[in-house]
Amino acid sequence: IINNYVDGTQGGARDKASPSGLHFRDSKRKVDYVLAYHYRRRLARHAPGTASPELTRGSASMGLISNGGTGKGCGEPQQQQQDDGQCVLREWPGLPGLEVVELSPLDALEEERRLQREEYERNLLEAGLEIEKDPENKSQGLSFVRIHAPWQVLSREAELLKIKMPTKKMYEITEEKGILKTLNEIWCKLTEPLQPQLPQHENTKMKSLSYPFSREKIYLYNIKDKDTFFDNATRSRIVREILKRTSTKARNSMGIGTLIANNVYDAAYPLHDGEYEGQNDDMNERKLLYQEWARYGVFYKFQPIDLIRKYFGEKIGLYFAWLGLYTEFLIPSSVVGIIVFLYGCITIESDIPSKEMCDQRNAFTMCPLCDKFCDYWNLSSACATARASHLFDNPATVFFSIFMAVWATMFLEQWKRLQMRLSYFWDLTGLEEEEEHPRPEYETKLMQKKLKNKNITTENSSENEKEKLTWSDRMPGYAANFGLILFMIMLTFSAVFGVIVYRITTAAALSFSTNETTRSNVRVTVTATAVIINLVVVLILDEIYGAVAKWLTEIEIPKTEKTFEERLILKAFLLKFVNSYASIFYVAFFKGRFVGRPGRYVYMFEGYRMEECAPGGCLMELCIQLSIIMLGKQLIQNNLFEIGIPKLKKLLRKLKDERTELKEMDTNQSKDPQQWDLDYILEPFTGLTPEYMEMIIQFGFVTLFVASFPLAPLFALLNNIIEVRLDAKKFVTELRRPDTVRAKDIGIWYNILSGIGKLSVIINAFVIAVTSDFIPRLMYQYAYSQNGTMHGFINHTLSYFNVSQLKAGTQPENSLFAQEVSFCRFKDYREPPWSPHQYEFSKQYWAVLSARLAFVILFQNLVMFLSVLVDWMIPDIPKDISEQIKKEKTVLVDFFLKEEHEKLKLIESFIARDKRKRRSGTKSKRTRAASFSQCHRSPKGSFTSFSSQHTVV
């Protein structure tokens, strides 16, 4: 051991590694962090029997001083040109027979990386860390650098990072009183089987008082064992901070992020706490999480949020807390959605408009659906569509829309309360934003700018001015962002337009068919196939947009990781939102609005009529579109992709490493892989953005168009029950352990959720007013019906058209209709042919339009008022938590005053004891002096006295 550095070549082979794989070879010091890298050694050539491999290796290192100076010819006397173009030093001075090859560009690059690694590791040692390395005893392979942080480093960095640690002081948590306490006790007893089986703390009613760590006040903290005072997550976080700020002179790189970006190291990660499966009885937090949280068999249990936070950090803990609350809130909305759907099923037989449409005696002869090849048809043939539409288009859906808008507000308010509660128990209150280190890409761009400025300006002026990237430096990135995002949105609209063209052309082609069955099922066939095509396009574009959003954010060159993440989230959400909902918006608000009327239809591509809504309205088709896209995204993208892609990447990485290992087997290597080997094979953690994104898009499906699909919350609930365990299993078993990140909220995601909640109010208002028949039915019943019932509603909504006014060439050929047709009907509010203003919009049209706009305004204001009322009634901070925070501040002040008072008393007691000792010492000295003077008096009667010095503390 030299300067806390254990070299693998001197520390023994890997078979002497610690049995647990979590410690250094001494089995005492913990492995707090691991750096992994691939190495490729360039062995020198030597004459047989003239130099040992060790000398060869050392000489090769000396030969690397040339730093790859190839391609310049062999100018030295001792050099000779080889057939492959390399220059060989035939005789190295002092080592006869040794041949040293000048480095190729690939070897020079590898040597530069090796030097960077050595310099970086030396700097880590200077920072106080302790390092253990694997021996590089093969020509190429994978090597690990294990890092341990001793107590001095941990205490120093904890003070710098202001990490809150528990003190000796414990105080009682105030509980609810009265009926709330009784209800809470009943709830705890009822949900006891649903609680995860975790080791219980000694006293859950007491909480440790936490305070930012300070070495001067170390007597305040409850330090029983210095090795366990800081848990593994805190230790790895401290080491990560040191790794991020430790620099190297080569390329002016700052931190481990830059070195990984430059391929100096392959990965840097903290270790998991051992295996999650196995026969051994050693229980660790990872195994506990797997048994009580990350298995599908425990889907019915609550999440151990505190243990998740302890193991993965606050940021990931907040995500799972949010996901759990969202899933819980989906239960009441699912129940209400099922009730609304059952109401539609129960009232379908008593729905008068559906009965009138299905009654063949009414004989509403409808105008042809296409030109020339389509015949007249009877409205009763669309009976099934009308009955199905009633399941989702009934008065209960209006109530459900209002309920879901209030539900979204209550969910966000409850999340704020839960977030505040977790902040208190996790000691996040008063958490300050930590200063982040610049990203490697930002540093590289800044270095390029500095080099460019040095060539233009003088050295003095460049030193005085603090360099940073300005708007002008980022302008190309911003321009590319604007142009590409606009292009991607237009691409989405083009995909929707392509599906529309497919519908129109396919419907026209199937209408030409001679098969009666095919012609009768044209609408069903076209709708089903178009939705499936649309789903495939959405899934493909989603993956493309995710990659494009990341690339666009990178060319913007954000300074910190937080800024990078926020900009990436906004871009990805914008593109994926447009991609997911563009086709749904089209069906809800645009389909069937620009059809025209018989005799004056709107055509596309010279002969293809714009598509119309079904006789029962577009709401049924909107429901089909929404349900298939929502279920398809959840099943394929959120589950299959999430399970399959990480497993595939893990398999490829394992095969690649096995191929490398097979080239040169290490006989001394242990058969049992260590924990750092197992963790390296796992997929690296890339952030929570994909997890949040899929849930936010699902939240949009649940709230935005819920008026057309009341069962959306139910399907979301079923998906999330699986999603929680799927994400849990992924984090515990398939991902490397993430770095712990402290966060007091979910960041920009809350603003996105709030925006979707407000947008859902407007969209549901327009869905009810424009897409459904709720307003026309209401207007007919209270304004136009003679007896106040819905009898005659279908006839009221259908207009007449004189078939003799059809354009030439558009009349049905070889009509097989049973009777001669003079007038056909079409769905619209227009004047009849016998009116002076034939085929113009009627008064009923303008009355219904006014009612629709009035309903939108009324609905929006009512729901917004209810949302504001709920927001006002539910405080953001629970009352008991606000009282606990105040109590904690008081207890903290009292604790400090008491400790300071005891400290002063201790000092005073020491001073008093010292004074007593001094006095007793002075008295004894005086007694001895008096006796001495009596024996030795001077002739003049004087005596000799001894004086003593007194030191006052």
Side-chain angles (χ1 to χ4, degrees):
I1 301 174
I2 303 171
N3 194 17
N4 298 329
Y5 189 101
V6 182
D7 194 346
T9 56
Q10 300 171 4
R14 286 191 59 179
D15 57 350
K16 295 181 181 178
S18 67
S20 65
L22 299 173
H23 294 79
F24 279 13
R25 291 188 181 92
D26 56 13
S27 298
K28 293 179 181 179
R29 291 175 292 174
K30 287 183 179 178
V31 177
D32 296 319
Y33 223 86
V34 174
L35 306 179
Y37 64 92
H38 280 88
Y39 65 89
R40 177 178 174 274
R41 283 172 48 200
R42 182 69 170 90
L43 293 175
R45 303 175 186 178
H46 62 94
T50 56
S52 66
E54 287 79 6
L55 280 175
T56 303
R57 183 182 177 190
S59 304
S61 299
M62 287 190 289
L64 301 180
I65 298 171
S66 62
N67 201 18
T70 58
K72 297 180 181 179
C74 301
E76 297 295 331
Q78 296 93 344
Q79 290 179 351
Q80 179 179 335
Q81 188 79 25
Q82 271 196 341
D83 295 335
D84 57 0
Q86 289 183 324
C87 297
V88 180
L89 185 65
R90 299 305 302 173
E91 293 182 2
W92 186 268
L95 292 173
L98 183 64
E99 299 177 355
V100 180
V101 182
E102 285 194 13
L103 297 179
S104 66
L106 186 63
D107 291 327
L109 180 61
E110 178 61 31
E111 176 63 12
E112 184 184 356
R113 289 172 181 169
R114 186 184 67 80
L115 293 173
Q116 279 188 274
R117 283 195 295 268
E118 288 180 357
E119 182 191 358
Y120 185 69
E121 289 159 18
R122 279 197 305 270
N123 293 340
L124 292 180
L125 293 171
E126 289 175 5
L129 297 176
E130 298 176 5
I131 291 176
E132 180 181 77
K133 288 188 71 172
D134 285 339
E136 296 181 8
N137 51 10
K138 294 182 288 184
S139 61
Q140 61 178 351
L142 177 66
S143 188
F144 296 96
V145 178
R146 294 173 289 282
I147 300 172
H148 168 77
W151 169 257
Q152 294 83 356
V153 175
L154 292 172
S155 57
R156 180 192 73 208
E157 296 298 321
E159 185 173 353
L160 290 173
L161 296 172
K162 299 180 181 178
I163 297 175
K164 284 188 175 182
M165 300 302 296
T167 61
K168 297 175 183 177
K169 179 66 176 176
M170 303 277 289
Y171 68 95
E172 188 177 0
I173 300 172
T174 308
E175 294 183 344
E176 297 93 344
K177 297 179 181 179
I179 191 169
L180 289 176
K181 183 179 180 181
T182 308
L183 291 173
N184 188 38
E185 289 175 353
I186 294 171
W187 174 253
C188 289
K189 288 181 180 179
L190 289 174
T191 58
E192 191 172 352
L194 307 179
Q195 298 293 342
Q197 301 298 316
L198 301 176
Q200 294 294 326
H201 297 289
E202 295 178 1
N203 195 348
T204 55
K205 295 181 180 179
M206 301 294 290
K207 183 180 183 296
S208 293
L209 185 67
S210 296
Y211 187 73
F213 189 80
S214 172
R215 287 175 290 179
E216 292 181 357
K217 297 182 174 64
I218 199 166
Y219 57 88
L220 298 176
Y221 303 96
N222 189 18
I223 305 175
K224 295 178 181 177
D225 185 0
K226 288 184 178 181
D227 291 336
T228 58
F229 179 65
F230 296 102
D231 59 17
N232 292 345
T234 307
R235 295 174 71 97
S236 64
R237 178 189 166 207
I238 288 172
V239 175
R240 179 73 182 190
E241 287 297 322
I242 298 174
L243 293 176
K244 284 198 292 187
R245 69 165 186 257
T246 303
S247 61
T248 56
K249 293 179 182 178
R251 296 191 181 182
N252 296 323
S253 60
M254 171 64 82
I256 189 65
T258 310
L259 294 174
I260 292 175
N262 295 334
N263 297 317
V264 177
Y265 291 101
D266 291 343
Y269 52 90
L271 292 180
H272 278 292
D273 286 358
E275 297 182 7
Y276 61 91
E277 285 182 315
Q279 302 299 325
N280 56 344
D281 296 329
D282 296 336
M283 180 59 69
N284 57 61
E285 291 180 352
R286 188 187 187 192
K287 184 181 286 188
L288 192 60
L289 281 170
Y290 178 75
Q291 291 178 357
E292 296 297 326
W293 178 54
R295 294 187 299 114
Y296 295 111
V298 292
F299 72 93
Y300 58 91
K301 288 188 176 183
F302 291 122
Q303 298 185 91
I305 294 296
D306 290 328
L307 185 59
I308 296 168
R309 169 254 176 177
K310 183 183 177 184
Y311 193 80
F312 292 111
E314 284 78 8
K315 192 171 185 178
I316 294 174
L318 284 173
Y319 163 70
F320 281 104
W322 175 86
L323 182 58
L325 182 69
Y326 172 49
T327 305
E328 288 175 14
F329 257 73
L330 284 172
I331 296 173
S333 59
S334 301
V335 172
V336 177
I338 292 170
I339 293 171
V340 169
F341 179 73
L342 292 176
Y343 172 82
C345 296
I346 294 168
T347 58
I348 194 169
E349 297 297 333
S350 59
D351 183 49
I352 296 173
S354 298
K355 285 183 176 180
E356 288 185 351
M357 191 177 290
C358 295
D359 191 356
Q360 296 183 0
R361 293 173 296 178
N362 288 329
F364 295 113
T365 305
M366 305 299 291
C367 296
L369 295 173
C370 65
D371 294 344
K372 197 173 182 179
F373 295 100
C374 295
D375 201 355
Y376 302 103
W377 57 286
N378 203 316
L379 186 60
S380 59
S381 63
C383 175
T385 309
R387 289 170 68 85
S389 295
H390 178 73
L391 298 175
F392 306 101
D393 190 1
N394 57 67
T397 56
V398 180
F399 159 76
F400 190 56
S401 299
I402 297 172
F403 170 80
M404 287 303 294
V406 176
W407 172 88
T409 305
M410 289 188 68
F411 165 62
L412 293 175
E413 288 301 313
Q414 190 61 31
W415 167 245
K416 284 195 286 187
R417 290 169 63 83
L418 177 61
Q419 192 172 256
M420 198 64 210
R421 188 175 294 276
L422 293 176
S423 295
Y424 165 69
F425 284 106
W426 293 352
D427 297 321
L428 298 175
T429 51
L431 179 67
E432 299 177 2
E433 292 290 335
E434 298 176 3
E435 185 179 355
E436 289 191 68
H437 299 283
R439 298 177 65 249
E441 294 81 1
Y442 181 87
E443 287 184 332
T444 304
K445 188 74 176 178
L446 190 61
M447 187 176 67
Q448 292 173 358
K449 182 181 178 182
K450 286 179 180 178
L451 293 174
K452 185 178 178 182
N453 288 347
K454 279 184 179 179
N455 296 330
I456 299 172
T457 60
T458 60
E459 188 176 348
N460 292 331
S461 62
S462 63
E463 284 178 357
N464 294 333
E465 185 181 356
K466 189 176 181 181
E467 294 285 355
K468 63 178 182 178
L469 296 184
T470 59
W471 274 82
S472 58
D473 299 317
R474 293 192 173 101
M475 190 53 67
Y478 290 147
N481 268 263
F482 179 77
L484 273 173
I485 287 175
L486 198 61
F487 171 75
M488 291 296 171
I489 293 173
M490 295 306 298
L491 180 64
T492 303
F493 291 156
S494 302
V496 174
F497 181 72
V499 175
I500 294 169
V501 172
Y502 165 81
R503 291 186 204 220
I504 295 170
T505 53
T506 307
L510 292 176
S511 300
F512 302 157
S513 175
T514 56
N515 192 334
E516 182 63 30
T517 308
T518 304
R519 283 188 308 194
S520 60
N521 295 321
V522 167
R523 193 179 294 277
V524 176
T525 306
V526 169
T527 301
T529 55
V531 170
I532 292 170
I533 291 170
N534 194 36
L535 172 63
V536 173
V537 171
V538 166
L539 292 176
I540 293 171
L541 289 181
D542 245 12
E543 298 302 315
I544 295 172
Y545 288 168
V548 169
K550 187 176 181 180
W551 179 73
L552 288 174
T553 311
E554 285 173 351
I555 63 175
E556 274 189 31
I557 322 169
K559 184 175 182 180
T560 62
E561 286 295 338
K562 184 180 179 181
T563 312
F564 178 86
E565 187 180 20
E566 288 181 351
R567 294 184 183 182
L568 174 62
I569 288 168
L570 286 175
K571 290 181 186 64
F573 174 73
L574 175 64
L575 293 173
K576 293 190 176 187
F577 182 88
V578 173
N579 183 42
S580 299
Y581 299 114
S583 58
I584 299 172
F585 268 94
Y586 164 73
V587 174
F589 303 122
F590 298 102
K591 186 178 179 181
R593 311 291 168 199
F594 310 103
V595 178
R597 62 170 179 82
R600 193 180 290 175
Y601 283 113
V602 176
Y603 289 90
M604 184 170 58
F605 304 132
E606 297 294 330
Y608 293 102
R609 274 165 46 179
M610 291 292 290
E611 56 180 344
E612 306 179 44
C613 288
C618 276
L619 198 69
M620 187 62 200
E621 190 171 340
L622 175 61
C623 173
I624 295 170
Q625 185 93 5
L626 182 68
S627 59
I628 291 181
I629 290 178
M630 178 183 176
L631 296 177
K633 275 179 69 68
Q634 290 185 165
L635 182 65
I636 298 171
Q637 191 178 43
N638 297 0
N639 293 331
L640 292 182
F641 285 7
E642 211 167 322
I643 295 171
I645 291 177
K647 286 187 179 297
L648 185 63
K649 287 182 178 179
K650 181 181 176 181
L651 179 64
L652 292 173
R653 191 183 295 107
K654 192 174 181 181
L655 290 173
K656 179 184 175 183
D657 290 333
E658 284 178 356
R659 248 194 334 266
T660 307
E661 294 292 330
L662 285 172
K663 289 182 180 177
E664 185 175 346
M665 293 296 292
D666 184 8
T667 55
N668 294 325
Q669 187 170 350
S670 174
K671 293 181 180 180
D672 297 326
Q674 296 294 315
Q675 189 62 47
W676 46 85
D677 296 308
L678 298 172
D679 286 4
Y680 179 77
I681 299 170
L682 300 177
E683 183 74 11
F685 175 67
T686 55
L688 288 169
T689 301
E691 319 298 336
Y692 272 114
M693 187 66 71
E694 64 187 59
M695 288 295 106
I696 297 294
I697 296 295
Q698 185 203 81
F699 183 78
F701 282 121
V702 168
T703 54
L704 291 178
F705 294 94
V706 75
S708 64
F709 190 40
L711 295 178
L714 175 64
F715 289 114
L717 174 64
L718 296 175
N719 174 80
N720 285 10
I721 291 172
I722 301 170
E723 180 71 24
V724 171
R725 306 302 161 180
L726 179 65
D727 283 350
K729 190 172 183 181
K730 184 172 71 174
F731 273 86
V732 173
T733 66
E734 296 174 6
L735 294 180
R736 292 176 192 158
R737 188 171 183 173
D739 294 304
T740 56
V741 179
R742 291 177 73 81
K744 57 184 177 181
D745 53 35
I746 59 174
I748 197 172
W749 295 111
Y750 180 84
N751 299 329
I752 293 174
L753 285 167
S754 181
I756 290 176
K758 290 178 173 60
L759 183 63
S760 69
V761 176
I762 301 169
I763 290 176
N764 280 305
F766 276 100
V767 167
I768 295 168
V770 177
T771 312
S772 74
D773 280 339
F774 177 73
I775 299 300
R777 292 187 182 198
L778 211 63
M779 283 292 295
Y780 176 78
Q781 186 173 358
Y782 293 104
Y784 299 107
S785 176
Q786 295 179 354
N787 51 9
T789 64
M790 292 302 295
H791 290 287
F793 172 72
I794 297 297
N795 185 54
H796 177 74
T797 57
L798 297 176
S799 299
Y800 288 90
F801 181 76
N802 191 343
V803 297
S804 62
Q805 296 178 346
L806 285 170
K807 287 184 179 179
T810 61
Q811 300 93 340
E813 289 185 349
N814 305 320
S815 177
L816 301 175
F817 208 66
Q819 57 195 16
E820 189 176 344
V821 179
S822 301
F823 296 96
C824 66
R825 310 294 293 273
F826 64 99
K827 190 173 181 179
D828 208 346
Y829 291 103
R830 290 184 180 268
E831 296 289 346
W834 52 83
S835 171
H837 308 286
Q838 61 177 3
Y839 307 132
E840 292 184 3
F841 288 117
S842 62
K843 292 179 180 178
Q844 289 89 341
Y845 171 83
W846 298 111
V848 170
L849 181 62
S850 302
R852 281 173 167 164
L853 294 175
F855 174 81
V856 169
I857 296 169
L858 180 66
F859 181 89
Q860 180 181 336
N861 284 282
L862 173 65
V863 174
M864 287 294 185
F865 169 74
L866 291 174
S867 300
V868 171
L869 183 65
V870 168
D871 190 0
W872 175 75
M873 289 178 65
I874 302 176
D876 293 346
I877 304 176
K879 188 178 179 181
D880 61 322
I881 295 299
S882 61
E883 290 175 356
Q884 292 292 346
I885 292 172
K886 292 176 185 176
K887 181 180 178 180
E888 190 177 65
K889 290 179 180 177
T890 307
V891 170
L892 184 65
V893 172
D894 293 342
F895 177 60
F896 267 100
L897 289 175
K898 185 179 178 182
E899 288 291 330
E900 289 295 326
H901 183 64
E902 290 180 357
K903 189 177 176 183
L904 287 172
K905 283 177 65 178
L906 190 64
I907 292 172
E908 286 174 359
S909 67
F910 275 119
I911 292 172
R913 192 183 307 167
D914 185 69
K915 284 182 177 178
R916 284 197 298 271
K917 285 182 179 179
R918 298 292 182 185
R919 289 197 192 104
S920 60
T922 305
K923 284 181 179 178
S924 62
K925 286 179 182 179
R926 285 175 181 173
T927 306
R928 287 197 300 270
S931 60
F932 182 79
S933 63
Q934 287 176 358
C935 298
H936 302 85
R937 283 186 180 271
S938 62
K940 294 182 180 180
S942 63
F943 60 90
T944 306
S945 62
F946 294 93
S947 62
S948 63
Q949 295 181 352
H950 181 66
T951 304
V952 181
V953 180

